[in-house]
Amino acid sequence: MTDKLLVVRQSILDGDLDECRSSIQQAIDGGMSADSILKQGLIPAMTEVGRLFEEGEYFVPEMLIAARAMQGGLELLKPLLVEEDVQPLGKVVIGTVKGDLHDIGKNLVSMMMEGAGFEIVDLGTDVSPEAFVEAVRTNDANIVAMSALLTTTMTNMQNVIQALKTAGIREKVKIMIGGAPVTEAFAKTIEADGYAADASQAAKLAQSYVA
Ligand code: B12
């Protein structure tokens, strides 16, 4: 890794948005491609953040500020990635299910997935089954990610899966679910493809679907 990318990586680990953006700008000015900055700088840094989180060295706040620094940096790269025609790993439609307004965990999952190289279509909170179906269709998504924090709303995940089946597009997508009351067993019951307990594992699970 070049010195410039080491600075990019460290700025993400430190959650230092300004340093992240200025070091990325320096790498761009120095002639490095956006693709290399993303793949050798941002993505490995977010993988390291995920590892630190799983090992209990980072907690949710550290992960959030690291992910925000990464997102701020990614904004600089996005137009260049389009110019360089860099394809994302896949497209993820994500949302918190109908009746549920909790979005902190969902946002973290979005940011980790974006950091892992996915394009994210974030539908926000209180998302109806119809809105999930519509978004999968219009974006030609390959993954649907649903979040629920209430025992009363987690059952709506099943309604989304049913709506995707009725629309005839269930088999086009991998469906992953999460949120505090959600379990692996629940995922099996509703025939989701997978469950992850935290944002770092969610990003790994999504990567396994496109590997
Ligand atoms: C913050 C919070 C709120 C905030 C939400 C703000 C926001 N913008 O999100 C506010 C104040 C709005 C709120 C409202 C309510 N809340 Co509330 N809230 C919480 C609280 C304290 C923290 C949730 C949180 O953000 N955790 C931190 C994040 C990072 O963790 P996370 O969401 O679990 O996400 C991680 C994983 O689950 C996973 N994950 C999450 N989503 C996904 C998706 C996928 C695809 C994958 C793979 C993984 C994944 O990865 C994430 C990151 O590692 C919890 C208590 C708790 N300890 O969980 C209660 C809690 C969830 N709330 C609760 C309740 C009851 C309510 C209200 C009904 C209260 C009321 N009477 O009005 C309302 C409901 C409003 C609604 N319709 O949604 C209860 C739910 C009880 C239950 N079993 O159903 C809890 C558990 C509190 C309690 N102990 O009673 N709440």
Side-chain angles (χ1 to χ4, degrees), residues 53 60 63 99-106 108-109 145-152 176-180 195-199 202:
F53 177 74
V60 167
M63 203 158 152
D100 200 321
L101 301 175
H102 296 86
D103 68 357
I104 298 168
K106 186 260 305 164
L108 207 44
V109 169
M146 290 184 265
S147 180
L149 263 285
L150 300 172
T151 44
T152 48
M176 52 194 288
I177 63 172
Y195 155 81
D198 60 49

PDB file of all heavy atoms in Angstrom, residues 53 60 63 99-106 108-109 145-152 176-180 195-199 202, ligand 1:
ATOM      1  N   PHE A  53     -14.483  -4.296  15.283  1.00  0.00           N
ATOM      2  CA  PHE A  53     -15.804  -4.350  15.921  1.00  0.00           C
ATOM      3  C   PHE A  53     -16.086  -5.772  16.414  1.00  0.00           C
ATOM      4  O   PHE A  53     -16.501  -5.981  17.547  1.00  0.00           O
ATOM      5  CB  PHE A  53     -16.869  -3.906  14.912  1.00  0.00           C
ATOM      6  CG  PHE A  53     -18.282  -3.993  15.420  1.00  0.00           C
ATOM      7  CD1 PHE A  53     -18.771  -3.077  16.351  1.00  0.00           C
ATOM      8  CD2 PHE A  53     -19.131  -4.982  14.970  1.00  0.00           C
ATOM      9  CE1 PHE A  53     -20.078  -3.165  16.813  1.00  0.00           C
ATOM     10  CE2 PHE A  53     -20.441  -5.077  15.431  1.00  0.00           C
ATOM     11  CZ  PHE A  53     -20.912  -4.160  16.355  1.00  0.00           C
ATOM     12  N   VAL A  60     -20.263   0.532  18.611  1.00  0.00           N
ATOM     13  CA  VAL A  60     -21.100   1.180  17.594  1.00  0.00           C
ATOM     14  C   VAL A  60     -20.661   2.624  17.285  1.00  0.00           C
ATOM     15  O   VAL A  60     -20.547   2.990  16.112  1.00  0.00           O
ATOM     16  CB  VAL A  60     -22.595   1.096  17.976  1.00  0.00           C
ATOM     17  CG1 VAL A  60     -23.438   2.015  17.113  1.00  0.00           C
ATOM     18  CG2 VAL A  60     -23.090  -0.346  17.825  1.00  0.00           C
ATOM     19  N   MET A  63     -17.637   2.676  15.073  1.00  0.00           N
ATOM     20  CA  MET A  63     -17.965   2.146  13.757  1.00  0.00           C
ATOM     21  C   MET A  63     -18.730   3.193  12.946  1.00  0.00           C
ATOM     22  O   MET A  63     -18.507   3.357  11.739  1.00  0.00           O
ATOM     23  CB  MET A  63     -18.818   0.904  13.954  1.00  0.00           C
ATOM     24  CG  MET A  63     -18.797  -0.039  12.815  1.00  0.00           C
ATOM     25  SD  MET A  63     -19.273  -1.611  13.476  1.00  0.00           S
ATOM     26  CE  MET A  63     -19.996  -2.379  12.105  1.00  0.00           C
ATOM     27  N   GLY A  99     -44.082  -0.031   9.693  1.00  0.00           N
ATOM     28  CA  GLY A  99     -44.453   0.148  11.094  1.00  0.00           C
ATOM     29  C   GLY A  99     -43.277   0.410  12.015  1.00  0.00           C
ATOM     30  O   GLY A  99     -43.456   0.702  13.197  1.00  0.00           O
ATOM     31  N   ASP A 100     -42.058   0.338  11.459  1.00  0.00           N
ATOM     32  CA  ASP A 100     -40.855   0.433  12.296  1.00  0.00           C
ATOM     33  C   ASP A 100     -40.013   1.644  11.890  1.00  0.00           C
ATOM     34  O   ASP A 100     -39.696   1.802  10.708  1.00  0.00           O
ATOM     35  CB  ASP A 100     -40.045  -0.860  12.119  1.00  0.00           C
ATOM     36  CG  ASP A 100     -39.075  -1.103  13.253  1.00  0.00           C
ATOM     37  OD1 ASP A 100     -38.468  -0.129  13.737  1.00  0.00           O
ATOM     38  OD2 ASP A 100     -38.927  -2.271  13.650  1.00  0.00           O
ATOM     39  N   LEU A 101     -39.683   2.480  12.886  1.00  0.00           N
ATOM     40  CA  LEU A 101     -38.954   3.721  12.575  1.00  0.00           C
ATOM     41  C   LEU A 101     -37.482   3.672  12.984  1.00  0.00           C
ATOM     42  O   LEU A 101     -36.762   4.660  12.838  1.00  0.00           O
ATOM     43  CB  LEU A 101     -39.636   4.899  13.286  1.00  0.00           C
ATOM     44  CG  LEU A 101     -41.106   5.115  12.904  1.00  0.00           C
ATOM     45  CD1 LEU A 101     -41.723   6.225  13.751  1.00  0.00           C
ATOM     46  CD2 LEU A 101     -41.232   5.445  11.415  1.00  0.00           C
ATOM     47  N   HIS A 102     -37.032   2.545  13.519  1.00  0.00           N
ATOM     48  CA  HIS A 102     -35.625   2.444  13.950  1.00  0.00           C
ATOM     49  C   HIS A 102     -34.711   2.358  12.726  1.00  0.00           C
ATOM     50  O   HIS A 102     -34.924   1.502  11.870  1.00  0.00           O
ATOM     51  CB  HIS A 102     -35.425   1.204  14.816  1.00  0.00           C
ATOM     52  CG  HIS A 102     -36.184   1.247  16.106  1.00  0.00           C
ATOM     53  ND1 HIS A 102     -37.487   0.830  16.196  1.00  0.00           N
ATOM     54  CD2 HIS A 102     -35.823   1.664  17.335  1.00  0.00           C
ATOM     55  CE1 HIS A 102     -37.896   0.991  17.447  1.00  0.00           C
ATOM     56  NE2 HIS A 102     -36.910   1.499  18.166  1.00  0.00           N
ATOM     57  N   ASP A 103     -33.690   3.239  12.683  1.00  0.00           N
ATOM     58  CA  ASP A 103     -32.831   3.159  11.495  1.00  0.00           C
ATOM     59  C   ASP A 103     -31.340   3.238  11.769  1.00  0.00           C
ATOM     60  O   ASP A 103     -30.536   3.238  10.834  1.00  0.00           O
ATOM     61  CB  ASP A 103     -33.239   4.208  10.449  1.00  0.00           C
ATOM     62  CG  ASP A 103     -32.973   5.634  10.894  1.00  0.00           C
ATOM     63  OD1 ASP A 103     -32.529   5.833  12.044  1.00  0.00           O
ATOM     64  OD2 ASP A 103     -33.219   6.544  10.090  1.00  0.00           O
ATOM     65  N   ILE A 104     -30.952   3.284  13.037  1.00  0.00           N
ATOM     66  CA  ILE A 104     -29.514   3.430  13.320  1.00  0.00           C
ATOM     67  C   ILE A 104     -28.756   2.185  12.838  1.00  0.00           C
ATOM     68  O   ILE A 104     -27.752   2.283  12.133  1.00  0.00           O
ATOM     69  CB  ILE A 104     -29.282   3.695  14.826  1.00  0.00           C
ATOM     70  CG1 ILE A 104     -29.962   5.009  15.217  1.00  0.00           C
ATOM     71  CG2 ILE A 104     -27.788   3.733  15.152  1.00  0.00           C
ATOM     72  CD1 ILE A 104     -30.062   5.277  16.708  1.00  0.00           C
ATOM     73  N   GLY A 105     -29.276   1.008  13.206  1.00  0.00           N
ATOM     74  CA  GLY A 105     -28.628  -0.241  12.789  1.00  0.00           C
ATOM     75  C   GLY A 105     -28.671  -0.423  11.287  1.00  0.00           C
ATOM     76  O   GLY A 105     -27.682  -0.806  10.655  1.00  0.00           O
ATOM     77  N   LYS A 106     -29.831  -0.105  10.695  1.00  0.00           N
ATOM     78  CA  LYS A 106     -29.980  -0.229   9.229  1.00  0.00           C
ATOM     79  C   LYS A 106     -28.972   0.671   8.508  1.00  0.00           C
ATOM     80  O   LYS A 106     -28.343   0.268   7.540  1.00  0.00           O
ATOM     81  CB  LYS A 106     -31.428   0.124   8.845  1.00  0.00           C
ATOM     82  CG  LYS A 106     -31.802  -0.070   7.415  1.00  0.00           C
ATOM     83  CD  LYS A 106     -31.795   1.177   6.589  1.00  0.00           C
ATOM     84  CE  LYS A 106     -32.645   2.303   7.107  1.00  0.00           C
ATOM     85  NZ  LYS A 106     -32.288   3.585   6.478  1.00  0.00           N
ATOM     86  N   LEU A 108     -26.119   1.703   9.614  1.00  0.00           N
ATOM     87  CA  LEU A 108     -24.787   1.145   9.801  1.00  0.00           C
ATOM     88  C   LEU A 108     -24.547  -0.010   8.816  1.00  0.00           C
ATOM     89  O   LEU A 108     -23.474  -0.109   8.200  1.00  0.00           O
ATOM     90  CB  LEU A 108     -24.693   0.635  11.246  1.00  0.00           C
ATOM     91  CG  LEU A 108     -23.350   0.577  11.941  1.00  0.00           C
ATOM     92  CD1 LEU A 108     -22.544   1.821  11.699  1.00  0.00           C
ATOM     93  CD2 LEU A 108     -23.575   0.379  13.438  1.00  0.00           C
ATOM     94  N   VAL A 109     -25.549  -0.842   8.668  1.00  0.00           N
ATOM     95  CA  VAL A 109     -25.453  -1.962   7.721  1.00  0.00           C
ATOM     96  C   VAL A 109     -25.255  -1.397   6.303  1.00  0.00           C
ATOM     97  O   VAL A 109     -24.386  -1.861   5.558  1.00  0.00           O
ATOM     98  CB  VAL A 109     -26.713  -2.861   7.795  1.00  0.00           C
ATOM     99  CG1 VAL A 109     -26.751  -3.861   6.645  1.00  0.00           C
ATOM    100  CG2 VAL A 109     -26.761  -3.600   9.132  1.00  0.00           C
ATOM    101  N   ALA A 145     -32.259  -6.300   1.716  1.00  0.00           N
ATOM    102  CA  ALA A 145     -31.860  -6.354   3.124  1.00  0.00           C
ATOM    103  C   ALA A 145     -32.927  -5.649   3.957  1.00  0.00           C
ATOM    104  O   ALA A 145     -33.268  -4.492   3.689  1.00  0.00           O
ATOM    105  CB  ALA A 145     -30.507  -5.676   3.306  1.00  0.00           C
ATOM    106  N   MET A 146     -33.473  -6.383   4.936  1.00  0.00           N
ATOM    107  CA  MET A 146     -34.549  -5.813   5.765  1.00  0.00           C
ATOM    108  C   MET A 146     -34.129  -5.756   7.215  1.00  0.00           C
ATOM    109  O   MET A 146     -33.514  -6.688   7.738  1.00  0.00           O
ATOM    110  CB  MET A 146     -35.791  -6.692   5.676  1.00  0.00           C
ATOM    111  CG  MET A 146     -36.481  -6.662   4.360  1.00  0.00           C
ATOM    112  SD  MET A 146     -37.980  -7.659   4.484  1.00  0.00           S
ATOM    113  CE  MET A 146     -37.424  -9.223   3.862  1.00  0.00           C
ATOM    114  N   SER A 147     -34.531  -4.640   7.862  1.00  0.00           N
ATOM    115  CA  SER A 147     -34.232  -4.467   9.276  1.00  0.00           C
ATOM    116  C   SER A 147     -35.529  -4.295  10.059  1.00  0.00           C
ATOM    117  O   SER A 147     -36.492  -3.698   9.556  1.00  0.00           O
ATOM    118  CB  SER A 147     -33.359  -3.197   9.438  1.00  0.00           C
ATOM    119  OG  SER A 147     -33.041  -2.975  10.780  1.00  0.00           O
ATOM    120  N   ALA A 148     -35.560  -4.849  11.284  1.00  0.00           N
ATOM    121  CA  ALA A 148     -36.698  -4.629  12.200  1.00  0.00           C
ATOM    122  C   ALA A 148     -36.186  -4.647  13.627  1.00  0.00           C
ATOM    123  O   ALA A 148     -35.328  -5.461  13.972  1.00  0.00           O
ATOM    124  CB  ALA A 148     -37.757  -5.717  12.015  1.00  0.00           C
ATOM    125  N   LEU A 149     -36.670  -3.722  14.434  1.00  0.00           N
ATOM    126  CA  LEU A 149     -36.231  -3.652  15.831  1.00  0.00           C
ATOM    127  C   LEU A 149     -37.358  -3.980  16.801  1.00  0.00           C
ATOM    128  O   LEU A 149     -37.156  -4.036  18.007  1.00  0.00           O
ATOM    129  CB  LEU A 149     -35.685  -2.242  16.140  1.00  0.00           C
ATOM    130  CG  LEU A 149     -34.177  -2.008  16.071  1.00  0.00           C
ATOM    131  CD1 LEU A 149     -33.464  -2.599  17.268  1.00  0.00           C
ATOM    132  CD2 LEU A 149     -33.577  -2.572  14.807  1.00  0.00           C
ATOM    133  N   LEU A 150     -38.551  -4.156  16.271  1.00  0.00           N
ATOM    134  CA  LEU A 150     -39.701  -4.430  17.141  1.00  0.00           C
ATOM    135  C   LEU A 150     -40.217  -5.847  16.894  1.00  0.00           C
ATOM    136  O   LEU A 150     -40.286  -6.279  15.740  1.00  0.00           O
ATOM    137  CB  LEU A 150     -40.823  -3.416  16.867  1.00  0.00           C
ATOM    138  CG  LEU A 150     -40.493  -1.938  17.086  1.00  0.00           C
ATOM    139  CD1 LEU A 150     -41.642  -1.056  16.577  1.00  0.00           C
ATOM    140  CD2 LEU A 150     -40.226  -1.649  18.554  1.00  0.00           C
ATOM    141  N   THR A 151     -40.570  -6.516  17.957  1.00  0.00           N
ATOM    142  CA  THR A 151     -41.136  -7.869  17.788  1.00  0.00           C
ATOM    143  C   THR A 151     -42.454  -7.788  16.997  1.00  0.00           C
ATOM    144  O   THR A 151     -42.816  -8.733  16.314  1.00  0.00           O
ATOM    145  CB  THR A 151     -41.389  -8.545  19.151  1.00  0.00           C
ATOM    146  OG1 THR A 151     -41.990  -7.593  20.020  1.00  0.00           O
ATOM    147  CG2 THR A 151     -40.102  -9.029  19.772  1.00  0.00           C
ATOM    148  N   THR A 152     -43.114  -6.632  17.106  1.00  0.00           N
ATOM    149  CA  THR A 152     -44.390  -6.487  16.397  1.00  0.00           C
ATOM    150  C   THR A 152     -44.205  -6.220  14.899  1.00  0.00           C
ATOM    151  O   THR A 152     -45.138  -6.389  14.121  1.00  0.00           O
ATOM    152  CB  THR A 152     -45.219  -5.329  16.992  1.00  0.00           C
ATOM    153  OG1 THR A 152     -44.359  -4.197  17.109  1.00  0.00           O
ATOM    154  CG2 THR A 152     -45.799  -5.691  18.343  1.00  0.00           C
ATOM    155  N   MET A 176     -31.723 -10.933   2.897  1.00  0.00           N
ATOM    156  CA  MET A 176     -31.062 -11.025   4.200  1.00  0.00           C
ATOM    157  C   MET A 176     -31.776 -10.135   5.208  1.00  0.00           C
ATOM    158  O   MET A 176     -32.292  -9.067   4.848  1.00  0.00           O
ATOM    159  CB  MET A 176     -29.580 -10.684   4.095  1.00  0.00           C
ATOM    160  CG  MET A 176     -29.276  -9.380   3.421  1.00  0.00           C
ATOM    161  SD  MET A 176     -27.526  -9.274   2.984  1.00  0.00           S
ATOM    162  CE  MET A 176     -26.817  -9.075   4.599  1.00  0.00           C
ATOM    163  N   ILE A 177     -31.829 -10.614   6.441  1.00  0.00           N
ATOM    164  CA  ILE A 177     -32.565  -9.862   7.456  1.00  0.00           C
ATOM    165  C   ILE A 177     -31.728  -9.690   8.725  1.00  0.00           C
ATOM    166  O   ILE A 177     -30.777 -10.430   8.955  1.00  0.00           O
ATOM    167  CB  ILE A 177     -33.917 -10.543   7.801  1.00  0.00           C
ATOM    168  CG1 ILE A 177     -33.703 -11.933   8.410  1.00  0.00           C
ATOM    169  CG2 ILE A 177     -34.809 -10.636   6.579  1.00  0.00           C
ATOM    170  CD1 ILE A 177     -34.999 -12.556   8.951  1.00  0.00           C
ATOM    171  N   GLY A 178     -32.114  -8.687   9.526  1.00  0.00           N
ATOM    172  CA  GLY A 178     -31.416  -8.451  10.790  1.00  0.00           C
ATOM    173  C   GLY A 178     -32.163  -7.451  11.641  1.00  0.00           C
ATOM    174  O   GLY A 178     -33.220  -6.947  11.265  1.00  0.00           O
ATOM    175  N   GLY A 179     -31.579  -7.171  12.813  1.00  0.00           N
ATOM    176  CA  GLY A 179     -32.223  -6.306  13.796  1.00  0.00           C
ATOM    177  C   GLY A 179     -32.279  -7.058  15.117  1.00  0.00           C
ATOM    178  O   GLY A 179     -32.285  -8.299  15.104  1.00  0.00           O
ATOM    179  N   ALA A 180     -32.310  -6.312  16.229  1.00  0.00           N
ATOM    180  CA  ALA A 180     -32.152  -6.944  17.547  1.00  0.00           C
ATOM    181  C   ALA A 180     -33.064  -8.155  17.817  1.00  0.00           C
ATOM    182  O   ALA A 180     -32.583  -9.162  18.342  1.00  0.00           O
ATOM    183  CB  ALA A 180     -32.302  -5.883  18.627  1.00  0.00           C
ATOM    184  N   TYR A 195     -29.233 -14.358   7.649  1.00  0.00           N
ATOM    185  CA  TYR A 195     -29.362 -13.458   8.798  1.00  0.00           C
ATOM    186  C   TYR A 195     -27.952 -13.072   9.221  1.00  0.00           C
ATOM    187  O   TYR A 195     -27.023 -13.887   9.114  1.00  0.00           O
ATOM    188  CB  TYR A 195     -30.063 -14.206   9.942  1.00  0.00           C
ATOM    189  CG  TYR A 195     -29.742 -13.657  11.310  1.00  0.00           C
ATOM    190  CD1 TYR A 195     -30.404 -12.528  11.793  1.00  0.00           C
ATOM    191  CD2 TYR A 195     -28.755 -14.237  12.110  1.00  0.00           C
ATOM    192  CE1 TYR A 195     -30.084 -12.005  13.043  1.00  0.00           C
ATOM    193  CE2 TYR A 195     -28.441 -13.719  13.355  1.00  0.00           C
ATOM    194  CZ  TYR A 195     -29.096 -12.603  13.812  1.00  0.00           C
ATOM    195  OH  TYR A 195     -28.781 -12.064  15.034  1.00  0.00           O
ATOM    196  N   ALA A 196     -27.779 -11.837   9.682  1.00  0.00           N
ATOM    197  CA  ALA A 196     -26.493 -11.472  10.276  1.00  0.00           C
ATOM    198  C   ALA A 196     -26.761 -10.649  11.524  1.00  0.00           C
ATOM    199  O   ALA A 196     -27.718  -9.877  11.585  1.00  0.00           O
ATOM    200  CB  ALA A 196     -25.645 -10.678   9.286  1.00  0.00           C
ATOM    201  N   ALA A 197     -25.906 -10.841  12.512  1.00  0.00           N
ATOM    202  CA  ALA A 197     -26.131 -10.220  13.815  1.00  0.00           C
ATOM    203  C   ALA A 197     -25.641  -8.781  13.893  1.00  0.00           C
ATOM    204  O   ALA A 197     -26.093  -8.016  14.744  1.00  0.00           O
ATOM    205  CB  ALA A 197     -25.437 -11.055  14.897  1.00  0.00           C
ATOM    206  N   ASP A 198     -24.697  -8.422  13.021  1.00  0.00           N
ATOM    207  CA  ASP A 198     -24.211  -7.035  13.063  1.00  0.00           C
ATOM    208  C   ASP A 198     -23.799  -6.575  11.664  1.00  0.00           C
ATOM    209  O   ASP A 198     -23.810  -7.362  10.707  1.00  0.00           O
ATOM    210  CB  ASP A 198     -23.067  -6.879  14.072  1.00  0.00           C
ATOM    211  CG  ASP A 198     -21.879  -7.761  13.739  1.00  0.00           C
ATOM    212  OD1 ASP A 198     -21.442  -7.740  12.576  1.00  0.00           O
ATOM    213  OD2 ASP A 198     -21.379  -8.471  14.629  1.00  0.00           O
ATOM    214  N   ALA A 199     -23.409  -5.295  11.592  1.00  0.00           N
ATOM    215  CA  ALA A 199     -23.159  -4.689  10.279  1.00  0.00           C
ATOM    216  C   ALA A 199     -21.949  -5.302   9.577  1.00  0.00           C
ATOM    217  O   ALA A 199     -21.950  -5.456   8.352  1.00  0.00           O
ATOM    218  CB  ALA A 199     -22.958  -3.187  10.453  1.00  0.00           C
ATOM    219  N   ALA A 202     -23.024  -8.530   8.229  1.00  0.00           N
ATOM    220  CA  ALA A 202     -23.972  -8.284   7.136  1.00  0.00           C
ATOM    221  C   ALA A 202     -23.216  -8.038   5.832  1.00  0.00           C
ATOM    222  O   ALA A 202     -23.581  -8.572   4.775  1.00  0.00           O
ATOM    223  CB  ALA A 202     -24.858  -7.084   7.471  1.00  0.00           C
TER     224      ALA A 202
HETATM  225  C1  B12 B   1     -32.839   4.217  19.616  1.00  0.00           C
HETATM  226  C2  B12 B   1     -34.151   3.528  19.907  1.00  0.00           C
HETATM  227  C3  B12 B   1     -35.329   4.145  19.510  1.00  0.00           C
HETATM  228  C4  B12 B   1     -35.348   5.463  18.733  1.00  0.00           C
HETATM  229  C5  B12 B   1     -35.043   5.143  17.255  1.00  0.00           C
HETATM  230  C6  B12 B   1     -34.226   6.242  16.581  1.00  0.00           C
HETATM  231  C7  B12 B   1     -33.722   5.793  15.248  1.00  0.00           C
HETATM  232  N1  B12 B   1     -33.583   6.768  14.372  1.00  0.00           N
HETATM  233  O1  B12 B   1     -33.459   4.626  14.983  1.00  0.00           O
HETATM  234  C8  B12 B   1     -36.831   5.944  18.966  1.00  0.00           C
HETATM  235  C9  B12 B   1     -36.836   6.857  20.164  1.00  0.00           C
HETATM  236  C10 B12 B   1     -37.480   6.670  17.788  1.00  0.00           C
HETATM  237  C11 B12 B   1     -37.511   4.631  19.327  1.00  0.00           C
HETATM  238  C12 B12 B   1     -38.892   4.465  19.262  1.00  0.00           C
HETATM  239  C13 B12 B   1     -39.539   3.323  19.718  1.00  0.00           C
HETATM  240  N2  B12 B   1     -38.994   2.267  20.322  1.00  0.00           N
HETATM  241 CO1  B12 B   1     -37.104   1.977  20.392  1.00  0.00          CO
HETATM  242  N3  B12 B   1     -35.344   1.665  20.827  1.00  0.00           N
HETATM  243  C14 B12 B   1     -34.173   2.253  20.576  1.00  0.00           C
HETATM  244  C15 B12 B   1     -32.987   1.511  21.215  1.00  0.00           C
HETATM  245  C16 B12 B   1     -32.653   2.250  22.517  1.00  0.00           C
HETATM  246  C17 B12 B   1     -31.713   1.392  20.411  1.00  0.00           C
HETATM  247  C18 B12 B   1     -31.855   0.776  19.019  1.00  0.00           C
HETATM  248  C19 B12 B   1     -30.571   0.975  18.278  1.00  0.00           C
HETATM  249  O2  B12 B   1     -30.440   1.911  17.498  1.00  0.00           O
HETATM  250  N4  B12 B   1     -29.532   0.142  18.549  1.00  0.00           N
HETATM  251  C20 B12 B   1     -28.184   0.303  18.004  1.00  0.00           C
HETATM  252  C21 B12 B   1     -28.092  -0.366  16.634  1.00  0.00           C
HETATM  253  C22 B12 B   1     -26.686  -0.178  16.071  1.00  0.00           C
HETATM  254  O3  B12 B   1     -28.303  -1.739  16.825  1.00  0.00           O
HETATM  255  P1  B12 B   1     -29.393  -2.557  15.966  1.00  0.00           P
HETATM  256  O4  B12 B   1     -30.452  -1.681  15.543  1.00  0.00           O
HETATM  257  O5  B12 B   1     -29.704  -3.816  16.705  1.00  0.00           O
HETATM  258  O6  B12 B   1     -28.595  -2.952  14.634  1.00  0.00           O
HETATM  259  C23 B12 B   1     -27.511  -3.870  14.560  1.00  0.00           C
HETATM  260  C24 B12 B   1     -27.939  -5.330  14.333  1.00  0.00           C
HETATM  261  O7  B12 B   1     -29.214  -5.617  14.841  1.00  0.00           O
HETATM  262  C25 B12 B   1     -27.800  -5.557  12.869  1.00  0.00           C
HETATM  263  N5  B12 B   1     -28.892  -5.169  11.948  1.00  0.00           N
HETATM  264  C26 B12 B   1     -29.808  -4.202  12.050  1.00  0.00           C
HETATM  265  N6  B12 B   1     -30.561  -4.135  10.954  1.00  0.00           N
HETATM  266  C27 B12 B   1     -30.120  -5.081  10.110  1.00  0.00           C
HETATM  267  C28 B12 B   1     -30.525  -5.443   8.827  1.00  0.00           C
HETATM  268  C29 B12 B   1     -29.883  -6.483   8.172  1.00  0.00           C
HETATM  269  C30 B12 B   1     -30.308  -6.859   6.791  1.00  0.00           C
HETATM  270  C31 B12 B   1     -28.823  -7.187   8.825  1.00  0.00           C
HETATM  271  C32 B12 B   1     -28.193  -8.338   8.128  1.00  0.00           C
HETATM  272  C33 B12 B   1     -28.409  -6.816  10.114  1.00  0.00           C
HETATM  273  C34 B12 B   1     -29.048  -5.765  10.739  1.00  0.00           C
HETATM  274  O8  B12 B   1     -26.679  -4.740  12.553  1.00  0.00           O
HETATM  275  C35 B12 B   1     -26.767  -3.503  13.283  1.00  0.00           C
HETATM  276  C36 B12 B   1     -25.401  -2.915  13.455  1.00  0.00           C
HETATM  277  O9  B12 B   1     -24.471  -3.781  14.056  1.00  0.00           O
HETATM  278  C37 B12 B   1     -33.627   0.095  21.451  1.00  0.00           C
HETATM  279  C38 B12 B   1     -33.040  -0.688  22.631  1.00  0.00           C
HETATM  280  C39 B12 B   1     -31.921  -1.608  22.215  1.00  0.00           C
HETATM  281  N7  B12 B   1     -30.999  -1.755  23.078  1.00  0.00           N
HETATM  282  O10 B12 B   1     -31.930  -2.164  21.127  1.00  0.00           O
HETATM  283  C40 B12 B   1     -35.098   0.443  21.657  1.00  0.00           C
HETATM  284  C41 B12 B   1     -36.224  -0.576  21.339  1.00  0.00           C
HETATM  285  C42 B12 B   1     -35.827  -1.303  20.048  1.00  0.00           C
HETATM  286  N8  B12 B   1     -37.393   0.246  21.147  1.00  0.00           N
HETATM  287  C43 B12 B   1     -38.436  -0.298  21.640  1.00  0.00           C
HETATM  288  C44 B12 B   1     -39.732   0.287  21.598  1.00  0.00           C
HETATM  289  C45 B12 B   1     -40.837  -0.468  22.340  1.00  0.00           C
HETATM  290  C46 B12 B   1     -39.960   1.494  20.916  1.00  0.00           C
HETATM  291  C47 B12 B   1     -41.299   2.224  20.773  1.00  0.00           C
HETATM  292  C48 B12 B   1     -42.519   1.327  20.509  1.00  0.00           C
HETATM  293  C49 B12 B   1     -41.466   3.052  22.058  1.00  0.00           C
HETATM  294  C50 B12 B   1     -42.809   3.774  22.191  1.00  0.00           C
HETATM  295  N9  B12 B   1     -43.609   3.251  23.085  1.00  0.00           N
HETATM  296  O11 B12 B   1     -43.060   4.706  21.478  1.00  0.00           O
HETATM  297  C51 B12 B   1     -41.037   3.184  19.618  1.00  0.00           C
HETATM  298  C52 B12 B   1     -41.411   2.560  18.261  1.00  0.00           C
HETATM  299  C53 B12 B   1     -41.379   3.534  17.143  1.00  0.00           C
HETATM  300  C54 B12 B   1     -41.530   2.792  15.854  1.00  0.00           C
HETATM  301  N10 B12 B   1     -42.737   2.723  15.312  1.00  0.00           N
HETATM  302  O12 B12 B   1     -40.565   2.244  15.356  1.00  0.00           O
HETATM  303  C55 B12 B   1     -38.152  -1.667  22.261  1.00  0.00           C
HETATM  304  C56 B12 B   1     -38.633  -2.825  21.384  1.00  0.00           C
HETATM  305  C57 B12 B   1     -39.257  -3.925  22.216  1.00  0.00           C
HETATM  306  C58 B12 B   1     -39.657  -5.068  21.369  1.00  0.00           C
HETATM  307  N11 B12 B   1     -39.224  -6.232  21.772  1.00  0.00           N
HETATM  308  O13 B12 B   1     -40.327  -4.941  20.389  1.00  0.00           O
HETATM  309  C59 B12 B   1     -36.607  -1.580  22.499  1.00  0.00           C
HETATM  310  C60 B12 B   1     -35.884  -2.956  22.463  1.00  0.00           C
HETATM  311  C61 B12 B   1     -36.416  -0.910  23.900  1.00  0.00           C
HETATM  312  C62 B12 B   1     -36.916  -1.787  25.038  1.00  0.00           C
HETATM  313  N12 B12 B   1     -36.033  -2.498  25.696  1.00  0.00           N
HETATM  314  O14 B12 B   1     -38.085  -1.807  25.336  1.00  0.00           O
HETATM  315  N13 B12 B   1     -36.638   3.726  19.741  1.00  0.00           N
END
